[in-house]
Amino acid sequence: MIPAIEKASIKEIYAFQSEKLKELLAYLNQNSPFYKRLFSHHSIDINSIKTLEDLQQIPVTTKTHLQEFNDDFFCVTRDKIIDYVTTSGTLGSPVTIGLTDNDLERLAYNEAISFQCAGIQKGDVVQLMTTMDRRFMAGLAYFLGLRKLGAGVIRVGSGIPELQWDSILKYKPTYLISVPSFLLKLIEYAESHQIDYKSSSVKGVICIGEALRDQHFNSILLSDKITQKWPIQLFSSYASTEMSTAFTECENFQGGHHHPELIIVEVLDNENKPVNQGEVGELAITTLGIEAMPLLRFKTGDIVQLHTDACPCGRNSLRLGPVVGRKQHMIKYKGTTLYPPAMHDLLSSFEEIENHVIEIFTNDLGTDEILIKVVTKNNSEPFIHEVKNHFKAKLRVTPKLEVVKKEELLSIIFTPESRKPITLIDRR
């Protein structure tokens, strides 16, 4: 069932969000140390902000702000926090996000209506192929949303094709939630073990972390490779920990639907001004209905385009097109958002590693790939395994690691053309 506000007219949605914005500003002014300080420093009278356009009077919030002033974003005392999650920060160490009981209920509502958007209904069985541990929000959100929707959940976690197929064949899920590139590994395993995957119970996949379509909503190489082998429906879903909100495609595959009761969206240029309709820019979000850590004009770092034409599904809310690219050097790797400073910091924690260079490129599937070249005093297999495990523990993913000769790496790091050492090469 589509929420009434999403079928309302554009004018009604605008008026609804303007009222919710005023409520949020009053809440922040009363409870948020960070935003109270921001309003005071910039002499902002929140009572003068009455419409969505008036948001431009307020400076943007960035990931750096979240990291530098993490505790100041909390609007409730710690005894009200039910769940703690972490997300990547621009300065290396992670940012902590807290959720109250009401925030968890909001998260469940968001995922329930998002899954409904993709056609999942009460009684469906969904196999969850992402982790719920390690302070990771997404897996928990999916579980809560499916539970609220009345769907069955198979919590397999990430990786291990053999275990995934064992669960698919035994419990017969109708949908999967997965990073799309992992589906190719499932297909490969099925083919090598004579599993008739085309006749399985799976009819659709909610895909996370990687794009499925280009800016014109045409399938990219990755999704074509999957569906040519396995004729199932692939639904794109975009979200982030900070926004606690998802944009998920409906059966028309024309972008992720916006939930106006949960979030206000802006697309900004380099001067933090709204772009013209149809242009791409950086997505900035203002969360609605969050108690613990509401965010105001938070810049996500993702370059997107908004679509406002009518969707045949009956929703009149905005739709978010596929992410065009990343601001600066943000990396989406195997469904996880990474920043080079975090990787630099992690590698520097090993005394045995003398030098390193991080290379980012686009692989044959059109997704981000990371190769880290290192010079190390210890190139034994146990040590390399230790480094990879450290990546998995701290950043949730393990990039490719290559041990090279010192002369080779130094010629890359120190070049006559650059006044600074080069430790990051972005080939995308």
Side-chain angles (χ1 to χ4, degrees), residues 5-262:
I5 188 60
E6 298 183 27
K7 294 191 292 183
S9 68
I10 300 298
K11 185 177 180 180
E12 289 170 328
I13 291 174
Y14 178 89
F16 171 85
Q17 288 210 307
S18 294
E19 286 303 311
K20 289 297 180 182
L21 173 61
K22 288 188 280 188
E23 293 175 15
L24 171 65
L25 291 172
Y27 182 80
L28 290 173
N29 197 43
Q30 181 176 352
N31 299 292
S32 170
F34 178 84
Y35 286 113
K36 278 196 286 188
R37 190 165 62 242
L38 180 78
F39 298 153
S40 175
H41 179 74
H42 292 277
S43 301
I44 295 171
D45 177 9
I46 62 169
N47 294 316
S48 69
I49 299 173
K50 302 181 184 299
T51 67
L52 301 186
E53 284 82 6
D54 293 338
L55 266 175
Q56 296 172 47
Q57 298 177 32
I58 302 172
V60 296
T61 301
T62 67
K63 289 178 181 282
T64 301
H65 291 138
L66 269 185
Q67 190 155 24
E68 290 181 339
F69 308 104
N70 201 167
D71 289 349
D72 288 349
F73 281 90
F74 280 81
C75 292
V76 298
T77 53
R78 292 297 174 118
D79 61 304
K80 299 293 195 301
I81 303 297
I82 301 299
D83 189 63
Y84 290 91
V85 298
T86 53
T87 185
S88 302
T90 54
L91 302 177
S93 59
V95 171
T96 297
I97 307 288
L99 293 93
T100 66
D101 194 57
N102 286 336
D103 291 339
L104 288 172
E105 179 59 33
R106 177 192 177 280
L107 192 64
Y109 168 80
N110 159 73
E111 293 297 342
I113 61 176
S114 295
F115 289 140
Q116 281 182 318
C117 204
I120 299 178
Q121 302 175 13
K122 181 178 181 179
D124 276 315
V125 177
V126 183
Q127 186 150 316
L128 185 53
M129 297 182 174
T130 184
T131 183
M132 286 183 62
D133 56 7
R134 300 177 187 174
R135 303 191 303 272
F136 192 49
M137 176 184 277
L140 175 64
Y142 304 145
F143 175 79
L144 292 174
L146 291 168
R147 178 176 180 269
K148 186 175 184 65
L149 189 57
V153 188
I154 311 167
R155 294 181 292 108
V156 180
S158 58
I160 319 176
E162 181 180 2
L163 181 58
Q164 303 290 355
W165 276 116
D166 178 69
S167 294
I168 291 171
L169 297 174
K170 185 173 184 177
Y171 301 112
K172 297 181 171 26
T174 43
Y175 290 88
L176 311 175
I177 299 176
S178 173
V179 175
S181 57
F182 182 67
L183 298 176
L184 291 175
K185 296 186 185 301
L186 283 183
I187 293 170
E188 181 182 354
Y189 182 90
E191 289 178 339
S192 63
H193 289 78
Q194 291 76 52
I195 296 174
D196 185 11
Y197 60 93
K198 293 181 181 179
S199 299
S200 74
S201 58
V202 178
K203 63 182 182 180
V205 183
I206 309 301
C207 294
I208 59 174
E210 296 169 347
L212 295 174
R213 280 166 260 287
D214 62 20
Q215 294 308 296
H216 303 290
F217 301 116
N218 298 314
S219 295
I220 62 173
L221 177 61
L222 174 59
S223 50
D224 282 341
K225 279 192 171 186
I226 296 166
T227 54
Q228 284 167 8
K229 288 267 191 178
W230 196 1
I232 51 179
Q233 289 188 310
L234 303 179
F235 296 88
S236 179
S237 183
Y238 166 83
S240 74
T241 301
E242 294 91 349
M243 68 174 72
S244 293
T245 311
F247 296 79
T248 304
E249 288 181 319
C250 68
E251 68 276 8
N252 296 288
F253 306 107
Q254 295 293 302
H257 279 281
H258 166 227
H259 305 309
E261 65 271 47
L262 299 179

Side-chain angles (χ1 to χ4, degrees), residues 292-308:
M293 289 186 68
L295 294 175
L296 183 62
R297 302 200 81 200
F298 173 74
K299 294 174 68 177
T300 64
D302 288 327
I303 306 301
V304 301
Q305 179 182 349
L306 292 181
H307 297 266
T308 57

Side-chain angles (χ1 to χ4, degrees), residues 267-283:
V267 177
L268 306 176
D269 61 20
N270 290 332
E271 282 71 49
N272 297 324
K273 302 295 183 184
V275 300
N276 295 325
Q277 186 171 336
E279 292 183 351
V280 299
E282 184 173 2
L283 177 68

